[in-house]
Amino acid sequence: MPSPWIPIHDLPSFVDREVTLKGWMYNKRSSGKIHFLQVRDGSGFIQAVMVKGEVPDEQFATAKGLWLEASIILTGRVRSDERAPSGVELSVTGIEVVQNPVEEYPIAKKEHGIDFLLDRRHLWIRSARQKAILTVRERVIWACREYLHNNGFLLVDSPLLTGSIGEGADGLFEVEYFDLGKAYLAQTGQLYAEAAAAAFGKVYCFGPTFRAEKSKTRRHLTEFWMIEPEVAYADHSDNMALQEGLVCAVVDAALAHCRKELELLERDIPALERIKPPFYHITYDEAVAMLQKLGSDIPYGDDFGGDDETLLTNQFDKPVFVECYPKKVKAFYMKQHPEREDLVLCDDLLAPEGYGEIIGGSQREDNLDLLLARIRAEGLPEDSYDWYLDLRRYGSFPHSGFGMGIERVVSWICGLQHIREAIPWPRTIYRLNP
Ligand code: 4AD
Ligand code: MG
C-alpha cells in the first residue's frame, strides 16, 4: 500500500510512520553521503534527510543535481527531532522529481532590492516571511468577520462599479460604461452601507476599494481592502466604541493564532499585548497643538500628513482617536458638530509605533438640507446622489460607521516597513504587474 500523502503541517502526528510529501525544495546542503533538503509544501517547512544507501543510487545522484524550487515528491519516515522548529524531520526513502527548474531560480538566499522582489512577486510569495504575513492577513479578515457576525451584523456587499462618488472627486478611477457614460471604481462602499443600515440595522460591507491618488508613501495603495460597518441609531461615541472593540478583537486573534508568524517577523509582541481598552482620545484641536509643540509646522485647519501622524502616534503606546476635524478637510457626508459649525463629528483612529491612520469614521449627516448644501458646496454631481438623499427623505435616522483598511492593520500588526507586503498583489502608481 502506498504511504499516505500528508501536509507538512500535520506531520507531528505521524511520527514513526511512512508518509508521502508533495512540494518544492527551497534549500539544500550536501556533505558527500548526506543531502539535507529543505522542503515546503505550502502548509509548512521541513528538513528531509537523504542518506546514501538508504535510497536507490540513481535517486541519490538525481537529488544532488536539484535546483532550488524543484518540484518533488518524497516518501520517507517521520522522525521526531527536538532541534527541528516543527519538532520533526523526514528520513527519505524515495524521491520523484516532478520538475527540475529549466534554469536557476532567480530569488537567491541573499538580499535583493525591493523592486527586484516586487517584479517577481509571483515567486516571492513562496518565502517563509511572505507566508507569515499573508497568514496574519487571513486571520485579521477572519477575526473581523467573526466579531461582526457575533455582534449581530449582516454582511451586505456593495458594488465596485458605481455612478456616485463616495469620498471626493479627486482620486477616482473612471471606466467607460456602455451607453451610460462614466462609471467609477468604488472608493468606498459606505453610501450603500448607509442604505443597508436603514434596512437591516447593523451591517457591513467588505471588499476592494480604489484610490487614484498619486500618493507614493509607505501607507498608500491604489487598490486596498476595506471593512466598513454601518450602524443605525449609533452616534459618534457608539461608533468609536465599536472601533475599539473590533481592533482589540483583531489584535487578540493575531496574538492567539499567529504567534509563530509574529515571531518569524520579529514583531515586538509585548507592544501588541498592550492593545487593550480603553484607547486614548484627543480632539483635532488638541492634536494640532501637540504637533506644533513637537516642532511640526502644521497650520491649524490642515489635514495631517504621514509625518504628522507618525510624530503624534509616537506619543502614545496604544491607538489614539483623533476626533472632530475641520469640515473642510473631510468628506461631504460627515455630520456637522452640534456646537462648532466648522467641525464634523468624525474620528480617525491612529495606530501606535508610528503607523498612523488605520480607521476613518464618522456620524453621518442626517439632515436633508445640510447634506444637500455640502454636496453642492463640494461641486459633486447632485443627480447621482438622488438615491442617497432618499435616505434623508424617508425616515432619516442618526447613524454612524467607519472604514478600516485591512492592509494598514496588517502592516501594523506584522510591524512592516511598507504596506506593499500586506497584500498578495500590490497595486501602486508604479505597479500593475504581476
Ligand atoms: O478614511 P477613509 O478614506 O474613509 C472612507 O473611505 C470612509 N467612506 C469609510 C467609512 O466611513 N465607511 O478610508 C478608510 C480607511 C483608512 O483609515 C485607511 O485604513 C484605509 O481605509 N485607506 C487606505 N489604505 C491603503 N491605501 C490607501 N490609499 C488608503 N486610503 C484609505
Ligand atoms: Mg481617512
Side-chain angles (χ1 to χ4, degrees):
M1 201 177 66
S3 47
W5 169 28
I6 309 293
I8 290 173
H9 181 268
D10 296 341
L11 289 181
S13 337
F14 285 82
V15 171
D16 292 332
R17 301 259 305 272
E18 191 83 20
V19 298
T20 296
L21 299 189
K22 302 185 182 187
W24 295 263
M25 189 191 77
Y26 79 92
N27 212 351
K28 186 181 69 172
R29 275 186 303 123
S30 288
S31 71
K33 293 199 165 61
I34 306 186
H35 301 313
F36 297 96
L37 310 178
Q38 314 298 323
V39 183
R40 59 170 192 86
D41 71 347
S43 80
F45 297 82
I46 192 173
Q47 173 161 273
V49 183
M50 191 186 272
V51 180
K52 197 172 165 114
E54 290 179 6
V55 291
D57 281 351
E58 74 279 5
Q59 289 190 13
F60 191 82
T62 306
K64 187 161 190 242
L66 288 181
W67 274 352
L68 294 193
E69 291 302 317
S71 36
I72 52 177
I73 299 177
L74 294 174
T75 47
R77 184 169 287 270
V78 182
R79 287 197 302 113
S80 76
D81 184 332
E82 276 173 15
R83 291 160 306 170
S86 63
V88 290
E89 265 193 1
L90 189 77
S91 293
V92 180
T93 52
I95 183 170
E96 179 192 328
V97 179
V98 180
Q99 194 212 22
N100 200 19
V102 297
E103 55 187 71
E104 202 171 340
Y105 189 61
I107 302 181
K109 295 292 152 197
K110 63 167 193 182
E111 290 276 312
H112 290 289
I114 187 69
D115 283 319
F116 180 93
L117 291 169
L118 284 168
D119 286 341
R120 291 159 188 80
R121 183 66 174 165
H122 51 292
L123 303 176
W124 187 25
I125 54 171
R126 300 180 184 192
S127 76
R129 175 181 162 84
Q130 299 309 311
K131 176 167 194 251
I133 296 169
L134 295 178
T135 303
V136 172
R137 178 188 170 99
E138 194 255 1
R139 180 56 62 179
V140 165
I141 292 171
W142 190 261
C144 287
R145 291 199 184 277
E146 191 173 39
Y147 182 85
L148 294 172
H149 177 82
N150 290 345
N151 282 283
F153 283 73
L154 187 69
L155 170 68
V156 185
D157 284 319
S158 52
L160 300 191
L161 286 166
T162 80
S164 14
I165 301 167
E167 283 299 303
D170 297 341
L172 282 170
F173 284 109
E174 295 182 353
V175 200
E176 289 306 322
Y177 200 78
F178 307 105
D179 296 335
L180 298 181
K182 290 214 185 322
Y184 307 110
L185 296 186
Q187 297 166 311
T188 171
Q190 178 194 322
L191 308 194
Y192 297 93
E194 287 185 54
F200 312 113
K202 292 161 90 172
V203 299
Y204 75 102
C205 59
F206 177 50
T209 45
F210 305 88
R211 305 277 166 105
E213 309 152 84
K214 293 215 165 86
S215 310
K216 296 175 237 174
T217 76
R218 63 191 174 94
R219 301 187 169 128
H220 288 87
L221 294 164
T222 54
E223 178 179 317
F224 63 96
W225 287 64
M226 183 156 52
I227 193 143
E228 297 184 84
E230 191 72 31
V231 183
Y233 291 100
D235 66 12
H236 170 57
S237 72
D238 299 327
N239 195 29
M240 290 186 290
L242 178 62
Q243 293 165 43
E244 187 177 88
L246 178 64
V247 169
C248 289
V250 166
V251 173
D252 284 351
L255 286 168
H257 300 282
C258 300
R259 200 162 274 266
K260 276 205 174 116
E261 285 77 10
L262 296 173
E263 282 166 5
L264 187 143
L265 296 166
E266 296 176 2
R267 182 64 169 97
D268 175 359
I269 292 178
L272 287 181
E273 286 169 339
R274 276 198 293 277
I275 309 305
K276 297 270 176 246
F279 293 172
Y280 300 101
H281 290 258
I282 56 173
T283 62
Y284 169 85
D285 289 17
E286 289 163 344
V288 172
M290 197 175 213
L291 282 168
Q292 288 173 344
K293 221 182 212 166
L294 290 165
S296 164
D297 55 6
I298 184 172
Y300 183 89
D302 271 20
D303 203 355
F304 303 131
D307 292 343
D308 293 316
E309 283 185 9
T310 302
L311 199 57
L312 205 55
T313 66
N314 280 333
Q315 312 305 307
F316 299 93
D317 57 355
K318 288 202 278 188
V320 54
F321 288 104
V322 181
E323 299 180 45
C324 303
Y325 284 64
K327 187 190 280 181
K328 74 175 173 57
V329 298
K330 288 293 182 188
F332 70 95
Y333 51 71
M334 295 188 180
K335 188 172 177 61
Q336 185 173 302
H337 193 290
E339 284 122 41
R340 290 265 309 264
E341 229 177 66
D342 57 324
L343 304 182
V344 283
L345 287 178
C346 72
D347 71 273
D348 276 6
L349 181 63
L350 311 185
E353 300 169 85
Y355 278 91
E357 182 186 341
I358 53 173
I359 287 180
S362 67
Q363 187 164 343
R364 316 309 189 185
E365 186 54 77
D366 46 15
N367 178 296
L368 178 60
D369 297 329
L370 289 178
L371 184 58
L372 198 53
R374 281 301 299 278
I375 289 173
R376 287 177 181 156
E378 303 257 322
L380 292 166
E382 212 174 302
D383 286 355
S384 61
Y385 293 97
D386 202 42
W387 69 267
Y388 182 64
L389 291 166
D390 270 354
L391 307 176
R392 279 73 179 167
R393 291 187 185 109
Y394 305 111
S396 192
F397 60 120
H399 60 290
S400 303
F402 62 91
M404 183 168 91
I406 292 297
E407 293 77 15
R408 296 267 181 100
V409 171
V410 171
S411 291
W412 165 49
I413 292 182
C414 291
L416 306 182
Q417 298 286 333
H418 197 294
I419 195 168
R420 63 197 156 200
E421 277 185 284
I423 186 164
W425 312 104
R427 294 288 172 260
T428 60
I429 54 174
Y430 298 120
R431 187 161 296 278
L432 200 49
N433 278 306

